[in-house]
Amino acid sequence: MITHTIGIIMNGVTGRMGTNQHLLRSIVAIIEQGGVKISADEIIMPDPILVGRNKAKLEALGKQSGITKFTTDLDSVLANPHFQIYFDAQVTGRRAPAVKKAILAGKHIYCEKPTGTTTEEALELYDLATAAGLKNGVVQDKLWLPGMLKLKRLMENDFFGKILSVRGEFGYWVFEGHSIPAQRPSWNYRKEDDGGIIVDMLCHWRYVLDNLFGKVKAVSCLGATHIPERIDENGKPYTCTADDACYATFELEGDVIAQFNSSWTVRVRRDDLLTLQVDGTKGSAVAGLRECYTQHYGNTPKPVWNPDIAQPIPFFDGWSKVPEQENFDNAFKAQWELFLKHVVKDTPFPWNLKAGARGVQLAEKGIESWEKRQWVTIDEL
């Protein structure tokens, strides 16, 4: 058996997403399954070290995960040739400087998004990494969600015909903290700390739209700060300076129109926290994080507007659940495995730092559209 042991520097994984999705459900899960299988006699085995600023948190996370290596000294592990990959899940403002330092140390880069606070900063990371001949990738996890993969399979089989529109609904109510504790960190709601739902979610919608439905050509976006005051982690009130809701329309290649509502101030009455409805000439589908429902042209009801009687058509009954035809792994883990194969075997991995820069670009253009109150064109980077 050939084992490729890959040292991974995991910086900023003491946060909720870093702990749960990247460490426990991805890297630890890969180790527990015996590595990433390349062939019957060849595997890739991750060897992570946890990096952060709080030793106590790192120690506790090490006990929880079973990962024994941790340090508060990033420079020391960047200088260690055993660690070939640098992963970053820190808050946005700390990401680009740390990634630059890792590039200078000759590490392959895999990181969360947004990859920078500006498009120029994000694009510089791509240029630096590629100039140094380093493999690089950005987390674009929603592409591996079961619901999105089911949509992709429907498209591959021409279920929709010509796709006309995509409608996304994302979000839930994030408690303000005055009585019930908030379930998201306070920096999300402070612009000065790089918070805001436009910066966060438009990076996601860029890669979902680009990869599934067509390149984004233009955006019209309206943001809002609906909740003016929240309570922070120390129980102190603070003024919300970042947007907590975003209402955006996108023009895609192929004359497809996409609309996405993203909000931390909405109560959920839909199938999931994220739903995408795709409408085409032959049929429609609604996908959540895991499930997907379809309605073919031949099963489409013919309603007639009459508000004076109770609605005679049970609209939900006309949709069919897509059966489970594949086994789906954790979306973050699936992309981690692809990136590890990319580093070791040079297999294709198009979700690189340039793709990350495109996400930052769309967020910036969304904010520009909001400020100017007009459509903004998305130029090719």
Side-chain angles (χ1 to χ4, degrees):
M1 176 68 71
I2 300 170
T3 301
H4 304 274
T5 302
I6 302 295
I8 304 173
I9 300 165
M10 302 193 74
N11 193 5
V13 290
T14 53
R16 176 181 55 87
M17 187 68 73
T19 293
N20 293 326
Q21 297 294 2
H22 290 291
L23 182 60
L24 299 179
R25 297 172 194 166
S26 294
I27 296 302
V28 171
I30 289 170
I31 294 170
E32 289 176 346
Q33 75 181 15
V36 179
K37 187 176 180 179
I38 298 172
S39 65
D41 56 1
E42 191 174 7
I43 61 166
I44 303 168
M45 181 60 72
D47 180 24
I49 184 168
L50 312 181
V51 181
R53 296 174 298 152
N54 188 313
K55 184 180 178 181
K57 285 185 178 180
L58 290 171
E59 201 168 55
L61 184 56
K63 290 177 181 177
Q64 180 186 358
S65 64
I67 304 301
T68 57
K69 299 174 185 175
F70 64 88
T71 182
T72 57
D73 185 0
L74 176 60
D75 291 339
S76 68
V77 285
L78 287 177
N80 188 336
H82 171 71
F83 297 103
Q84 301 173 46
I85 295 173
Y86 173 77
F87 171 72
D88 194 295
Q90 299 182 95
V91 295
T92 304
R94 295 195 189 101
R95 183 161 301 128
V99 169
K100 281 184 186 179
K101 189 182 285 190
I103 291 170
L104 290 173
K107 307 300 181 185
H108 302 300
I109 303 298
Y110 188 56
C111 66
E112 265 291 354
K113 33 96 349 244
T115 53
T117 56
T118 66
T119 305
E120 289 74 22
E121 184 178 62
L123 200 54
E124 182 189 12
L125 297 180
Y126 170 75
D127 292 337
L128 288 172
T130 51
L134 300 169
K135 304 285 176 49
N136 56 93
V138 176
V139 178
Q140 304 200 330
D141 55 284
K142 288 177 176 53
L143 296 177
W144 287 272
L145 288 171
M148 300 303 108
L149 290 171
K150 290 171 184 177
L151 276 182
K152 186 179 179 181
R153 298 291 180 259
L154 291 170
M155 295 169 68
E156 289 169 347
N157 288 285
D158 195 32
F159 172 83
F160 298 103
K162 175 176 169 45
I163 292 178
L164 307 172
S165 62
V166 180
R167 186 166 70 253
E169 291 285 344
F170 166 81
Y172 46 93
W173 188 269
V174 176
F175 286 93
E176 308 91 322
H178 294 94
S179 55
I180 298 173
Q183 67 268 46
R184 289 187 67 88
S186 60
W187 70 264
N188 280 210
Y189 305 95
R190 291 191 294 263
K191 188 175 182 180
E192 59 271 25
D193 292 332
D194 305 306
I197 201 165
I198 294 177
V199 170
D200 189 354
M201 297 313 302
L202 261 62
C203 292
H204 282 294
W205 307 151
R206 180 68 189 266
Y207 69 73
V208 169
L209 293 172
D210 277 1
N211 282 274
L212 290 179
F213 306 110
K215 289 184 178 180
V216 182
K217 294 169 56 180
V219 59
S220 172
C221 180
L222 177 67
T225 306
H226 290 306
I227 305 295
E229 181 186 271
R230 293 178 181 269
I231 305 299
D232 68 14
E233 290 79 1
N234 298 314
K236 296 180 179 179
Y238 66 96
T239 300
C240 300
T241 53
D243 42 285
D244 55 20
C246 164
Y247 311 92
T249 304
F250 308 98
E251 181 186 4
L252 312 183
E253 283 185 348
D255 300 321
V256 178
I257 304 299
Q259 295 173 290
F260 275 76
N261 293 327
S262 311
S263 177
W264 289 317
T265 59
V266 64
R267 294 175 180 87
V268 180
R269 195 175 191 273
R270 44 189 143 85
D271 292 331
D272 215 327
L273 299 184
L274 168 65
T275 57
L276 257 64
Q277 177 159 337
V278 182
D279 290 304
T281 54
K282 292 182 179 180
S284 297
V286 177
L289 301 180
R290 302 194 63 83
E291 305 301 344
C292 184
Y293 295 85
T294 62
Q295 185 172 88
H296 193 265
Y297 187 93
N299 300 102
T300 303
K302 189 178 182 181
V304 175
W305 177 263
N306 185 353
D308 297 321
I309 62 171
Q311 177 55 246
I313 301 174
F315 288 109
F316 284 94
D317 293 350
W319 294 77
S320 301
K321 184 178 178 179
V322 174
E324 298 299 321
Q325 299 170 318
E326 303 173 66
N327 292 319
F328 300 104
D329 210 341
N330 176 279
F332 290 85
K333 178 173 175 279
Q335 194 179 3
W336 260 110
E337 292 191 348
L338 290 174
F339 185 71
L340 290 171
K341 289 179 182 178
H342 177 56
V343 170
V344 174
K345 305 300 288 187
D346 200 29
T347 51
F349 193 88
W351 312 281
N352 56 20
L353 283 167
K354 191 171 186 179
R358 291 191 190 102
V360 177
Q361 178 196 33
L362 185 60
E364 278 198 325
K365 294 298 184 181
I367 292 170
E368 180 185 337
S369 170
W370 177 19
E371 291 172 345
K372 292 181 176 178
R373 305 185 78 82
Q374 67 181 37
W375 278 90
V376 174
T377 300
I378 309 298
D379 298 319
E380 185 67 37
L381 289 180

